[in-house]
Amino acid sequence: MIHVEYYFSLRGNAWKEIDPPYLSYEGCSDRFVSDFGLFFNGVIHWLASRQDVLKHVIVAFDLTERDFSEISLPVNFVYASFKLCFVRVIGELLNLCAVMNNHFLEI
């Protein structure tokens, strides 16, 4: 199966092809506030499930370099134990936030 990713260039007013990540990701909409990415420091970030090793990560797409990277979640972070998870910017820091049984945890 061939998988191709595209982005829309406002400068070029056209869709352009990019090299997709070599790993298989799925969105985390079951516990994620939004399926949309969060823009921070020229990079779009979103929570995803990495299917090849069955773990959750923050996927990042750098708009300048037009490439993907990944940020591992904290070692003891168990995604399934939280009711809700999301990324957000607080001050000048990217944060992973989680809600468990009406308690808010910021990592």
Side-chain angles (χ1 to χ4, degrees):
M1 176 171 64
I2 297 173
H3 184 78
V4 179
E5 300 287 339
Y6 293 91
Y7 70 95
F8 188 80
S9 169
L10 294 175
R11 183 174 295 140
N13 195 31
W15 288 99
K16 297 188 177 190
E17 187 175 327
I18 58 173
D19 293 328
Y22 63 93
L23 302 171
S24 175
Y25 294 106
E26 283 187 9
C28 296
S29 59
D30 59 328
R31 291 186 182 89
F32 189 37
V33 171
S34 170
D35 285 331
F36 300 108
L38 174 76
F39 181 75
F40 177 63
N41 282 347
V43 179
I44 301 172
H45 302 82
W46 65 96
L47 284 173
S49 174
R50 190 170 145 185
Q51 297 302 298
D52 60 333
V53 292
L54 300 176
K55 73 174 188 174
H56 292 88
V57 296
I58 296 173
V59 176
F61 179 68
D62 186 307
L63 294 171
T64 302
E65 299 297 323
R66 294 184 182 95
D67 66 352
F68 289 92
S69 62
E70 139 183 329
I71 302 169
S72 296
L73 299 186
V75 175
N76 295 327
F77 185 83
V78 180
Y79 180 84
S81 65
F82 294 97
K83 182 177 180 181
L84 187 65
C85 294
F86 51 96
V87 289
R88 66 193 284 186
V89 175
I90 300 175
E92 294 185 18
L93 301 172
L94 181 68
N95 290 261
L96 172 64
C97 303
V99 176
M100 178 172 58
N101 298 326
N102 298 325
H103 296 295
F104 181 78
L105 174 67
E106 181 182 319
I107 301 171

